[in-house]
């Protein structure tokens, strides 16, 4: 699908104000939130890794090909990205942030168990979850106003296996905090393309 | 009639024998190609000839001095680039060609210089390479691109032979790219590699069509407009911000303005009447580095049309040649301070009855006091 520029508002009547309040405002709020979140995502990942001990806390630790089947990966080939229209991009981002809020809850629970005496880490995880939830709400509002179909919110975690080892849980937390950053990076251009272009 | 026939037979036999002889002793093969290192010494044997065979060597058709010979072998010491050429050795008496060598003097390659850049984010990037010093002989380059553990194709640039393109980047991941290049020639081999994240190599092309225009009735303003570079594939999703710099031609110091959106800006602090040079650069809002500066635009702010300067000169002539000529010459235009934009009505009547030079001075004084 050819990616189209955000539509130019018709500023001749009352619908212009409606457009500003109902559409432009939530989009730029969402964008500002994503921008703000982005400033903290690498801190969250670094803090998380520090608290997990080796090998996670080793300098330069990176396992980019490690993924969770319950969490959509942010990484996408340009070919696929380019073919998505604005609605699809937003919809995918919203789905990801729904999964992230649920996964961040799980990671918070895991870390309360694994690292009980670390208020900084737990606070950062909690804040990340709240912001993800905020962004999720913004995106849902935008999609409603734009008339895009909202998929029913589902439980993305599915059956979380009990008895996951400490190492598996640490890995899980690593993937979640890493993907939180990547999805924030991806949310911004997903929102940008909804705003009218410079030619308006 | 009997005599010519045996003569013709002899001539024919001689020719045939000559052909057979040359075929057996000098096969018309292509010259042997040889690469040697600059500064080294080389000994060229005359094909399969014995060491003590009597031969003459030539290079590119020019005879070589016999003191370079060691028996039938040619010895070249301290090879220079000028030694490159076609060397041939001939049997001294019969002058038939025994052996040919195409000698190329050069160097093994030093470590290549490799760099990659994306001016088309997120569509792709390109990598360019070159050797820091020439080798003087043909080199072949081999580029491989790895994204994590996945091999990617780097397509050769149709026009530039030291560039290739990776299309379709992988977005929003932190899997690094590793680009390796190896270079080899007949004398040696070298290689290098670089590793990077996709967002660190982003550098857009400069903004296009930078135009600067004066603003009518505004002597300190210049209006600048430009366009996002046409190579940037998706400015809606990946918007650019801009950096504008400007200075009057007569000064070296630039003024800078950073603009987070829009492709127009009005300069409001230009020096009146001075020609300005203006340039714009672009950068993705978050990632990568600034583009190079655009092609410069030139403009001079709007200035008011100059008054007729004949007034003062003619008045000077009038006052020196005549003792009393109080009326202004009919061709001059009275400089009304009101027209200079600062008002000054009461003084207008005062001006009419005075010689023009005095009137101009008074007007100037009035205007400057009003402008404080």
């Amino acid at each position: 699908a050819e990616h189209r520029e955000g539509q130019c508002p018709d500023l001749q009547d009352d619908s212009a104000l409606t457009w500003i309040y109902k559409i432009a405002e939530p989009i730029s709020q969402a964008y500002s939130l994503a921008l703000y979140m982005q400033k903290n995502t690498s801190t969250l990942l670094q803090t998380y890794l520090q608290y997990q001990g080796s090998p996670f806390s080793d300098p330069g630790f990176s396992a980019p090909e490690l993924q969770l089947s319950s969490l959509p990966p942010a990484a996408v080939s340009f070919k696929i990205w380019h073919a998505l229209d604005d609605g699809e991009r937003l919809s995918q981002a919203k789905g990801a942030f729904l999964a992230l809020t649920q996964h961040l809850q799980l990671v918070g629970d895991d870390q309360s168990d694994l690292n009980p005496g670390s208020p900084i880490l737990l606070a950062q995880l909690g804040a990340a979850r709240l912001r993800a939830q905020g962004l999720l709400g913004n995106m849902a509002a935008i999609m409603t106003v734009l008339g895009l179909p909202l998929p029913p919110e589902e439980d993305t975690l599915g059956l979380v296996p009990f008895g996951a080892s400490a190492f598996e849980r640490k890995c899980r937390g690593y993937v979640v905090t890493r993907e939180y950053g990547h999805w924030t990076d991806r949310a911004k251009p997903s929102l940008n393309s909804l705003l009218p272009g410079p030619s308006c | 009639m009997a005599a010519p026939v045996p003569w013709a037979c002899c001539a024919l036999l001689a020719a045939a024998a000559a052909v057979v002889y040359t075929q057996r002793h000098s096969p018309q093969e292509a010259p042997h190609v040889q690469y040697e290192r600059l500064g080294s010494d080389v000994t060229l044997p005359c094909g399969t000839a014995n060491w003590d065979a009597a031969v003459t060597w030539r290079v590119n058709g020019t005879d070589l001095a016999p003191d370079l010979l060691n028996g039938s072998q040619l010895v070249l010491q301290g090879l220079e680039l000028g030694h490159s050429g076609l060397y041939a050795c001939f049997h001294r008496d019969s002058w038939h060609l025994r052996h040919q060598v195409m000698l190329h003097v050069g160097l093994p390659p030093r470590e290549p210089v490799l760099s990659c850049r994306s001016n088309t984010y997120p569509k792709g990037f390109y990598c360019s390479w070159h050797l820091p010093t020439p080798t003087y002989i043909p080199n072949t380059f081999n580029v491989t691109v790895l994204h994590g553990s996945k091999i990617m194709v780097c397509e050769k640039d149709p026009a530039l032979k030291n560039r290739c393109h990776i299309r379709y980047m992988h977005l929003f991941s932190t899997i690094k790219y590793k680009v390796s290049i190896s270079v080899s020639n007949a004398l040696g081999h070298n290689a290098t590699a670089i590793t990077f994240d996709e967002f660190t190599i982003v550098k857009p092309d400069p903004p296009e069509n930078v135009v600067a225009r004066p603003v009518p009735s505004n002597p300190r303003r210049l209006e600048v407009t430009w366009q996002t570079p046409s190579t940037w594939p998706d400015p809606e999703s990946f918007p650019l911000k801009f950096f504008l710099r400007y200075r009057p031609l007569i000064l070296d110091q630039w003024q800078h303005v950073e603009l987070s959106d829009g492709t127009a800006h009005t300069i409001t602090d230009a020096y009146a009447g001075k020609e300005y040079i203006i340039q714009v650069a672009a950068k993705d809002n978050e990632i990568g580095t600034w583009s190079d500066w655009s092609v410069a635009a030139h403009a001079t702010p709007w200035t008011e049309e100059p008054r007729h300067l004949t007034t003062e000169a003619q008045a000077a002539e009038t006052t020196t040649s005549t003792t009393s000529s109080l009326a202004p010459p009919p061709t001059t235009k009275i400089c009304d301070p009101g027209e200079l934009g600062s008002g000054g009505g009461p003084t207008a009547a005062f001006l009419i009855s005075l010689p023009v030079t005095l009137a101009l001075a008074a007007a100037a004084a009035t205007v400057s006091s009003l402008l404080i």
Side-chain angles (χ1 to χ4, degrees), chain A residues 100-142:
Chain A
L100 282 166
T101 52
Q102 296 174 355
H103 283 69
L104 282 165
Q105 178 71 64
L106 176 62
V107 173
D109 293 344
D110 283 341
Q111 289 300 309
S112 303
D113 211 25
L114 294 168
N115 286 302
S118 35
I120 295 169
L121 172 63
L122 295 174
Q124 285 192 16
L125 285 168
R129 187 175 59 79
L130 285 175
R131 289 179 199 133
Q133 211 148 31
L135 191 58
L136 183 62
N138 278 345
M139 287 184 181
I142 296 164

Coordinates of all heavy atoms in Angstrom, one line a residue, chain A residues 100-142:
Chain A
L100 N 3.2 -5.1 26.0 CA 4.3 -4.6 26.9 C 3.8 -4.2 28.3 O 4.5 -4.5 29.3 CB 4.9 -3.3 26.2 CG 5.9 -3.6 25.1 CD1 6.3 -2.3 24.3 CD2 7.2 -4.2 25.6
T101 N 2.6 -3.6 28.4 CA 2.1 -3.4 29.7 C 1.9 -4.6 30.5 O 2.3 -4.7 31.7 CB 0.7 -2.6 29.7 OG1 -0.2 -3.3 28.8 CG2 0.9 -1.2 29.2
Q102 N 1.4 -5.7 29.8 CA 1.2 -6.9 30.5 C 2.5 -7.6 30.9 O 2.7 -8.2 32.0 CB 0.3 -7.9 29.7 CG -1.1 -7.3 29.5 CD -2.0 -8.1 28.6 OE1 -1.5 -9.0 28.0 NE2 -3.2 -7.7 28.5
H103 N 3.5 -7.6 30.0 CA 4.8 -8.2 30.2 C 5.5 -7.4 31.3 O 6.3 -8.0 32.1 CB 5.6 -8.3 28.9 CG 5.2 -9.4 28.0 ND1 4.0 -9.4 27.4 CD2 5.8 -10.5 27.7 CE1 3.8 -10.5 26.6 NE2 4.9 -11.2 26.8
L104 N 5.4 -6.1 31.3 CA 6.1 -5.3 32.3 C 5.6 -5.6 33.7 O 6.3 -5.6 34.7 CB 6.0 -3.8 32.0 CG 7.0 -3.3 30.9 CD1 6.6 -1.9 30.4 CD2 8.4 -3.3 31.4
Q105 N 4.3 -5.9 33.8 CA 3.7 -6.3 35.0 C 4.4 -7.6 35.5 O 4.8 -7.8 36.7 CB 2.2 -6.5 34.9 CG 1.5 -7.0 36.1 CD 1.4 -5.9 37.2 OE1 0.8 -4.9 37.0 NE2 2.0 -6.2 38.3
L106 N 4.5 -8.6 34.6 CA 5.1 -9.9 34.9 C 6.5 -9.7 35.3 O 7.0 -10.3 36.3 CB 5.0 -10.8 33.6 CG 5.6 -12.1 33.8 CD1 5.0 -13.0 34.8 CD2 5.6 -12.9 32.4
V107 N 7.3 -8.9 34.6 CA 8.7 -8.7 34.9 C 8.8 -8.0 36.3 O 9.7 -8.4 37.1 CB 9.4 -7.8 33.8 CG1 10.8 -7.4 34.2 CG2 9.4 -8.5 32.5
G108 N 7.9 -7.1 36.6 CA 7.9 -6.4 37.9 C 7.7 -7.5 39.0 O 8.4 -7.5 40.0
D109 N 6.8 -8.4 38.8 CA 6.5 -9.5 39.7 C 7.8 -10.4 39.8 O 8.2 -10.7 41.0 CB 5.4 -10.4 39.3 CG 4.0 -9.6 39.3 OD1 4.0 -8.5 40.0 OD2 3.1 -10.0 38.7
D110 N 8.4 -10.7 38.7 CA 9.6 -11.6 38.7 C 10.7 -10.9 39.5 O 11.4 -11.5 40.3 CB 10.1 -11.8 37.3 CG 9.3 -12.9 36.6 OD1 8.6 -13.7 37.2 OD2 9.3 -12.9 35.3
Q111 N 10.9 -9.6 39.3 CA 12.0 -8.9 39.9 C 11.7 -8.7 41.4 O 12.7 -8.6 42.2 CB 12.2 -7.6 39.2 CG 12.9 -7.8 37.8 CD 14.2 -8.5 37.9 OE1 15.1 -8.1 38.6 NE2 14.4 -9.5 37.1
S112 N 10.5 -8.5 41.8 CA 10.2 -8.4 43.2 C 10.7 -9.7 43.9 O 11.1 -9.6 45.1 CB 8.7 -8.3 43.5 OG 8.2 -7.2 42.8
D113 N 10.6 -10.8 43.2 CA 11.0 -12.1 43.7 C 12.6 -12.2 43.6 O 13.2 -12.6 44.6 CB 10.4 -13.1 42.8 CG 10.1 -14.4 43.6 OD1 9.9 -14.3 44.8 OD2 10.0 -15.4 42.9
L114 N 13.1 -11.9 42.5 CA 14.6 -12.1 42.3 C 15.4 -11.0 42.9 O 16.5 -11.3 43.3 CB 14.8 -12.2 40.8 CG 14.2 -13.3 40.0 CD1 14.4 -13.0 38.5 CD2 14.9 -14.6 40.3
N115 N 15.0 -9.8 42.9 CA 15.7 -8.7 43.4 C 14.8 -7.9 44.4 O 14.5 -6.7 44.1 CB 16.2 -7.8 42.3 CG 17.4 -8.4 41.5 OD1 18.4 -8.7 42.1 ND2 17.2 -8.6 40.2
P116 N 14.5 -8.5 45.5 CA 13.5 -7.8 46.4 C 14.0 -6.4 46.9 O 13.2 -5.5 47.1 CB 13.2 -8.8 47.5 CG 14.4 -9.7 47.5 CD 14.9 -9.8 46.1
G117 N 15.3 -6.3 47.2 CA 15.8 -5.1 47.8 C 16.3 -4.1 46.8 O 17.4 -3.5 46.9
S118 N 15.6 -3.9 45.7 CA 16.0 -2.9 44.7 C 14.9 -2.0 44.3 O 14.3 -2.2 43.2 CB 16.6 -3.7 43.5 OG 15.9 -4.9 43.2
P119 N 14.6 -1.0 45.1 CA 13.5 -0.1 44.9 C 13.7 0.7 43.6 O 12.7 1.0 42.9 CB 13.5 0.8 46.1 CG 14.9 0.7 46.7 CD 15.3 -0.7 46.4
I120 N 14.9 1.0 43.2 CA 15.1 1.8 42.0 C 14.7 1.0 40.8 O 13.9 1.6 39.9 CB 16.6 2.2 41.8 CG1 17.0 3.1 43.0 CG2 16.9 2.8 40.5 CD1 18.6 3.3 43.1
L121 N 15.1 -0.2 40.7 CA 14.7 -1.0 39.5 C 13.2 -1.2 39.5 O 12.5 -1.0 38.5 CB 15.4 -2.4 39.6 CG 14.9 -3.4 38.5 CD1 15.2 -2.9 37.1 CD2 15.6 -4.8 38.8
L122 N 12.6 -1.5 40.7 CA 11.1 -1.8 40.7 C 10.4 -0.5 40.4 O 9.3 -0.5 39.7 CB 10.7 -2.3 42.1 CG 11.3 -3.7 42.4 CD1 11.0 -4.1 43.8 CD2 10.8 -4.8 41.4
A123 N 10.9 0.6 40.8 CA 10.2 1.9 40.5 C 10.3 2.2 39.0 O 9.3 2.6 38.4 CB 10.9 3.0 41.3
Q124 N 11.5 1.9 38.4 CA 11.6 2.2 37.0 C 10.7 1.3 36.2 O 10.1 1.7 35.2 CB 13.1 2.0 36.5 CG 13.9 3.2 37.0 CD 15.3 3.2 36.3 OE1 15.5 2.5 35.3 NE2 16.2 3.9 36.9
L125 N 10.6 0.0 36.6 CA 9.7 -0.9 35.9 C 8.2 -0.4 36.0 O 7.5 -0.5 35.0 CB 9.9 -2.3 36.4 CG 11.1 -3.1 36.0 CD1 11.3 -4.3 36.8 CD2 11.1 -3.4 34.5
G126 N 7.9 0.0 37.2 CA 6.5 0.5 37.4 C 6.2 1.7 36.6 O 5.2 1.8 35.9
A127 N 7.2 2.6 36.5 CA 7.0 3.9 35.7 C 6.8 3.5 34.3 O 6.0 4.1 33.6 CB 8.1 4.8 36.0
A128 N 7.7 2.6 33.8 CA 7.6 2.2 32.4 C 6.3 1.6 32.0 O 5.7 1.9 31.0 CB 8.7 1.2 32.1
R129 N 5.8 0.8 33.0 CA 4.4 0.2 32.7 C 3.4 1.2 32.6 O 2.5 1.2 31.8 CB 4.1 -0.9 33.8 CG 2.9 -1.7 33.5 CD 2.6 -2.8 34.5 NE 2.5 -2.2 35.9 CZ 1.5 -1.7 36.4 NH1 0.4 -1.5 35.7 NH2 1.5 -1.2 37.6
L130 N 3.4 2.2 33.5 CA 2.4 3.3 33.5 C 2.5 4.1 32.2 O 1.4 4.5 31.7 CB 2.6 4.2 34.7 CG 2.1 3.6 36.1 CD1 2.5 4.6 37.2 CD2 0.6 3.3 36.1
R131 N 3.7 4.4 31.8 CA 3.8 5.2 30.6 C 3.3 4.4 29.4 O 2.7 5.0 28.5 CB 5.3 5.6 30.4 CG 5.7 6.7 31.3 CD 7.1 7.1 31.1 NE 7.6 7.7 32.3 CZ 8.8 7.4 32.9 NH1 9.6 6.5 32.4 NH2 9.2 8.1 34.0
A132 N 3.7 3.1 29.4 CA 3.2 2.3 28.3 C 1.7 2.2 28.3 O 1.0 2.3 27.2 CB 3.8 0.9 28.4
Q133 N 1.1 2.2 29.4 CA -0.4 2.2 29.5 C -0.9 3.5 29.0 O -2.0 3.6 28.3 CB -0.7 2.0 31.0 CG -2.0 1.3 31.2 CD -2.0 0.5 32.5 OE1 -1.3 0.8 33.5 NE2 -2.7 -0.6 32.5
G134 N -0.2 4.6 29.4 CA -0.7 5.9 28.9 C -0.6 6.0 27.4 O -1.6 6.5 26.7
L135 N 0.4 5.5 26.8 CA 0.6 5.6 25.4 C -0.5 4.7 24.7 O -1.0 5.0 23.7 CB 2.0 5.1 25.0 CG 2.4 5.4 23.5 CD1 2.3 6.8 23.2 CD2 3.8 4.8 23.3
L136 N -0.7 3.6 25.3 CA -1.8 2.7 24.8 C -3.1 3.4 24.8 O -3.8 3.3 23.8 CB -1.8 1.5 25.8 CG -2.8 0.3 25.5 CD1 -2.4 -0.3 24.2 CD2 -2.7 -0.7 26.6
G137 N -3.4 4.1 25.8 CA -4.7 4.8 25.9 C -4.7 5.9 24.8 O -5.8 6.0 24.1
N138 N -3.7 6.6 24.6 CA -3.6 7.7 23.6 C -3.9 7.0 22.2 O -4.6 7.5 21.4 CB -2.2 8.3 23.5 CG -2.1 9.4 24.6 OD1 -3.1 9.9 25.1 ND2 -0.9 9.8 24.8
M139 N -3.2 5.9 22.0 CA -3.3 5.3 20.7 C -4.7 4.8 20.4 O -5.3 4.9 19.3 CB -2.3 4.1 20.5 CG -0.9 4.6 20.4 SD 0.2 3.1 20.2 CE 1.7 3.9 20.1
A140 N -5.3 4.2 21.5 CA -6.7 3.8 21.3 C -7.6 4.9 21.0 O -8.5 4.8 20.1 CB -7.2 3.1 22.6
A141 N -7.4 6.1 21.6 CA -8.3 7.3 21.4 C -8.1 7.7 19.9 O -9.1 8.1 19.3 CB -7.9 8.4 22.3
I142 N -6.9 7.7 19.5 CA -6.6 8.2 18.1 C -7.3 7.2 17.1 O -7.9 7.7 16.1 CB -5.1 8.2 17.8 CG1 -4.4 9.3 18.7 CG2 -4.8 8.5 16.3 CD1 -2.9 9.1 18.7

